[in-house]
Amino acid sequence: MAIKFLEKLKRAFKGYSGSLTDVEHWDNFYNTSTQTSSGIRVDPDKALTYSPVWQGIDLISGDISRLPLIVYERIETEHGSGKQRATNHAAYNLLKRKANSRLTANLWRSRMISHALLYGNAYSWIERDSNFNPIGLHWIHSENVECCWDGTRNYYRIRNNTTCGDLDHIPKVVAYEEMFHLQGLTVDYTGGCGIVHFAAQVIGKQLAADQYGAEFFANGAVAAGFLSHPGQLSEDARKNFLRGWNQRHQGQGNSHRVALLEEGITWSHMGISPSDSQLVELAGFGIQDIARFFNLPPGKLGDDARTSYSSVEQENRSYFNSTLGKWISRIEAEANCKLFTQREMDSDSHFAEFKLDALFKADTSERFSAYSTAIQWGIKSRNEVRAEENLNPVSGGEVLITPLNMEPIDEISNEEDEFEEQEAGEERSDLLARQAALVDSFKRVNKRMMLRAKKIPEEKYLAGVNSLTDQLPILREMLWPSLLLAGADPDLECQRYLDHITDGLLNAADCQPEQLKTRITDFETTLNEWVVTRAIDLLEKEPCKR
C-alpha cells in the first residue's frame, strides 16, 4: 500500500535544516501554492483575484448548477421503451433539491465544479442508511482529502474531518464506493490535475502586471528613479532627506507636485512606463491563455472581439460541446456509478441525467417555430409545449396529433374510430390555422404601432404615446376578421391590445433619456411574446362558435 503522505513528508525533511516556520518551504510540501517566475506565489485563493479565472469558474459552475439533474426509471410502454422520473428513489431529492441539510443541490453542484476546476478534484462523502440508500452528499474541502491507490482500487484519507466539510463525523478513511469524486484532467489513479497549478505562470504574470500598474498609480503615475548628490551625505542626512522627499512626492495625493532640488542634487528616471511594458496587450493575452486552460470561447471571458457566432443558440451549443459537456458527463457517470444499488446498476433500471433544455433555449420566434413542427408531427403535445413556456395545461392538450396524410399515433381498430380520428384531426388543423392567422394579424399591428412609437421625439414622448389611441379605428380594421374567426369580441380585444401597448410604452419612459430607445426595443420583444400567448388563450379558452 502506497503511503503518499509519508513519502512527501520524507522528501520535505530530506536535506532540510531550516525553520519549521519557513512558509515557502512548507507551502511547497503541502502543495497549496506554486512559485512563479514573476515572483508571485499562486494558490487557488490568489488565482481567484485574477478576474478571468474568477469569471471562468463562476461561469462554468453556475451554468452547470442551474441545470436540473434528474433521476429516471426505465419503463416499458405499449409503444416501446421509455423513462419516467423516479421521484420515490432515494437519490432523486439529493440531486434535484437538497444534497444534505446544509446545502441545496444547486449549491452542491456549483461547489463541486468550482473545486474540480481549482484543485483538479472535488469530493463529497456519501452518507447511507441501513439499507445502503444514499441519504446525504457531504462536501469535503479538496485540500483535506488524499486520493490513494493500493494497486487494485482507490480509497481516500481525510486529513481533518472536523473542519473540512459539511459533517463532523466523516470517517478518516473512506472507501471508493462511499466518495463522490469529481475529477479534472486525469493522468493517473490518484486524482485530477488542477487548472490553477498548471496555469500558475500565466496567472502569476498577470497578477504581477496588475501589481505593477497599481504601484505605478500609487506613486502618482510617475516612473521610478533615483536621486544623486555630488557630495557625501551622512547616514542621518540621507534618511532625513528621503523621508521628506517621500512624504512630499510619493502617493496618489502628491502627484504632479513641483520638486525643488538643492545642493546639486539631480533626478534620473529608472525603469519603464506601463505603455512601454504593454500592460494592455498583456492583459488581452492573459484572457486568451486562461480561456484555453478552461476550454472556453474567449468571448465568454469578456473578449468580445473574438465572438464569431451568428446567434446565442449556436454559441451556447459550441460552449456545451467544448466546455460543459465533459463536466456534465463526469457528474452523470459518477452518480450512476455510486448512487444506485448493484441490482439497479446490473439491470440498468435507473439512471441520472441532466435536463439540458434551458441551455439551448432559442429566441421567441425560433422556439415557436420548433413548437409548431413538434406539435404537428406528434413529437410533443400542446400541454408539453405549454409547460416549457411556464403555462398551465388545457383540456385536451395532452393529445398527440399528426398530419392527416400520415399514419395516426394510435392504431385505428375500425372504420368508425378512423373517421372520428380524421374529424378530430381536421378540427385541430382548423384550430392551428386560426391561431396562425390571429398571430400574423397581431404581429402586423405590432410592427405598425412600434414603428410609430419609435418615431416620437423624446421631448414629446408621453403626449405621443397617448396619441396612439387615435389608431383604434385602424386596429379594428386590421384585427377584426381574425378576431371574429377566433370567436372573440373584436371591440373588446382591440381596446385591450391598445391599453396594453400604451401602458407598456409609458412604463418604458421611467428611465434615463439615453436608455429610452433600449427600453422601447425591449418592450417590443415582450409585446411579440404577449400577442402569441394571447392568441393561444383566445382559441383554447374561448373557442369559436361554429
Side-chain angles (χ1 to χ4, degrees):
M1 182 181 296
I3 309 298
K4 186 176 179 181
F5 179 79
L6 292 179
E7 290 177 356
K8 292 175 64 178
L9 190 61
K10 291 178 182 178
R11 289 197 300 269
F13 276 106
K14 184 177 181 180
Y16 179 68
S17 58
S19 170
L20 292 176
T21 61
D22 185 350
V23 175
E24 181 174 343
H25 176 78
W26 295 107
D27 264 359
N28 288 329
F29 162 60
Y30 281 110
N31 197 27
T32 58
S33 64
T34 302
Q35 181 67 43
T36 66
S37 301
S38 63
I40 302 286
R41 295 192 67 87
V42 175
D43 60 14
D45 290 338
K46 176 73 75 172
L48 287 175
T49 64
Y50 181 44
S51 60
V53 174
W54 176 284
Q55 186 174 0
I57 292 176
D58 183 59
L59 179 70
I60 297 173
S61 62
D63 283 347
I64 292 180
S65 68
R66 69 187 178 93
L67 297 175
L69 181 55
I70 309 297
V71 174
Y72 292 101
E73 179 183 8
R74 300 189 191 278
I75 59 173
E76 291 295 330
T77 70
E78 57 181 328
H79 304 295
S81 300
K83 65 181 181 180
Q84 65 181 11
R85 296 194 178 201
T87 56
N88 294 326
H89 196 280
Y92 185 88
N93 283 331
L94 294 182
L95 297 178
K96 188 176 188 298
R97 294 188 177 92
K98 292 187 68 175
N100 56 63
S101 60
R102 304 183 187 183
L103 272 182
T104 64
N106 179 293
L107 288 177
W108 175 79
R109 286 194 295 274
S110 176
R111 191 175 293 184
M112 290 290 286
I113 291 293
S114 298
H115 269 245
L117 289 167
L118 278 170
Y119 297 92
N121 299 279
Y123 304 96
S124 286
W125 174 57
I126 305 173
E127 184 182 10
R128 302 184 188 273
D129 61 15
S130 57
N131 294 322
F132 199 69
N133 294 315
I135 59 175
L137 294 170
H138 301 281
W139 169 81
I140 310 174
H141 198 290
S142 302
E143 290 182 346
N144 293 316
V145 180
E146 182 181 8
C147 180
C148 304
W149 174 254
D150 63 3
T152 58
R153 60 185 299 166
N154 283 106
Y155 66 95
Y156 304 90
R157 290 186 178 275
I158 313 300
R159 294 197 184 102
N160 183 358
N161 65 346
T162 59
T163 60
C164 61
D166 293 330
L167 210 61
D168 294 339
H169 59 270
I170 297 176
K172 290 186 177 180
V173 178
V174 178
Y176 169 78
E177 297 82 3
E178 308 304 317
M179 184 71 80
F180 197 108
H181 183 189
L182 183 61
Q183 304 181 48
L185 179 66
T186 305
V187 296
D188 56 26
Y189 289 106
T190 58
C193 303
I195 290 178
V196 169
H197 175 69
F198 288 93
Q201 293 294 344
V202 175
I203 297 171
K205 177 175 62 177
Q206 296 299 323
L207 292 177
D210 290 346
Q211 181 178 338
Y212 173 79
E215 292 174 352
F216 177 77
F217 285 107
N219 288 316
V222 177
F226 60 88
L227 296 164
S228 58
H229 189 278
Q232 182 71 28
L233 294 176
S234 66
E235 184 68 22
D236 290 339
R238 283 200 302 272
K239 290 181 179 179
N240 290 334
F241 177 78
L242 288 176
R243 185 184 303 112
W245 175 272
N246 288 335
Q247 288 176 354
R248 182 172 178 82
H249 298 287
Q250 192 174 52
Q252 191 65 32
N254 293 323
S255 59
H256 307 300
R257 298 184 69 173
V258 177
L260 178 61
L261 301 178
E262 300 176 313
E263 301 180 3
I265 295 176
T266 59
W267 164 266
S268 300
H269 285 282
M270 181 176 62
I272 58 175
S273 68
S275 58
D276 292 335
S277 60
Q278 296 184 315
L279 289 184
V280 175
E281 292 82 356
L282 184 63
F285 293 142
I287 292 176
Q288 296 175 44
D289 284 337
I290 294 300
R292 281 190 284 269
F293 273 106
F294 284 109
N295 211 13
L296 280 170
K300 291 288 187 181
L301 297 183
D303 192 354
D304 297 330
R306 289 170 175 78
T307 300
S308 58
Y309 295 97
S310 59
S311 72
V312 174
E313 184 182 11
Q314 290 179 347
E315 182 176 357
N316 284 341
R317 190 166 296 280
S318 173
Y319 171 46
F320 170 80
N321 291 334
S322 62
T323 309
L324 298 187
K326 62 183 178 184
W327 291 107
I328 287 174
S329 65
R330 289 171 187 173
I331 294 175
E332 291 176 344
E334 194 73 3
N336 291 329
C337 179
K338 297 181 179 178
L339 297 184
F340 300 108
T341 64
Q342 190 62 47
R343 184 172 62 180
E344 290 170 339
M345 289 189 289
D346 291 342
S347 63
D348 197 24
S349 61
H350 293 75
F351 64 97
E353 186 177 67
F354 277 98
K355 196 171 185 296
L356 304 177
D357 296 9
L359 185 64
F360 301 121
K361 201 166 187 178
D363 59 36
T364 304
S365 61
E366 291 176 344
R367 289 204 315 276
F368 278 86
S369 176
Y371 291 156
S372 177
T373 302
I375 291 173
Q376 290 178 19
W377 288 97
I379 300 172
K380 290 184 178 181
S381 68
R382 286 179 295 155
N383 279 349
E384 288 174 329
V385 170
R386 292 178 65 84
E388 292 185 18
E389 289 298 310
N390 201 26
L391 298 172
N392 292 328
V394 296
S395 177
E398 71 281 357
V399 178
L400 293 173
I401 62 175
T402 57
L404 295 178
N405 61 339
M406 302 295 292
E407 289 292 332
I409 294 175
D410 297 319
E411 292 185 359
I412 306 301
S413 59
N414 52 56
E415 292 183 0
E416 183 178 356
D417 291 340
E418 184 176 356
F419 175 78
E420 291 176 355
E421 186 72 11
Q422 182 177 351
E423 189 176 38
E426 291 174 352
E427 291 178 356
R428 288 191 291 268
S429 297
D430 179 64
L431 176 65
L432 291 174
R434 286 185 279 118
Q435 283 182 351
L438 185 54
V439 170
D440 182 68
S441 298
F442 268 130
K443 286 189 174 181
R444 284 189 286 109
V445 171
N446 283 355
K447 185 176 181 181
R448 176 186 179 86
M449 297 295 285
M450 293 307 300
L451 186 60
R452 288 181 172 273
K454 292 176 181 178
K455 291 182 178 180
I456 300 174
E458 292 182 4
E459 63 274 9
K460 300 180 180 179
Y461 181 77
L462 296 180
V465 171
N466 289 324
S467 69
L468 292 177
T469 55
D470 297 338
Q471 297 292 312
L472 184 58
I474 299 176
L475 294 185
R476 288 174 177 167
E477 180 180 351
M478 297 177 69
L479 294 175
W480 193 281
S482 54
L483 286 172
L484 282 178
L485 284 174
D489 184 341
D491 289 328
L492 178 62
E493 289 301 320
C494 287
Q495 187 61 51
R496 179 179 295 175
Y497 171 83
L498 191 59
D499 291 342
H500 181 82
I501 192 172
T502 53
D503 289 345
L505 289 172
L506 290 174
N507 290 335
D510 186 18
C511 65
Q512 298 296 325
E514 61 271 11
Q515 298 175 338
L516 182 57
K517 290 184 178 180
T518 301
R519 294 287 297 272
I520 293 175
T521 302
D522 293 342
F523 172 69
E524 184 177 8
T525 301
T526 60
L527 180 63
N528 285 327
E529 297 177 357
W530 179 82
V531 297
V532 172
T533 303
R534 185 60 190 156
I536 294 174
D537 290 342
L538 285 174
L539 284 158
E540 291 180 344
K541 296 181 180 179
E542 303 168 1
C544 79
K545 300 176 181 180
R546 297 192 297 170

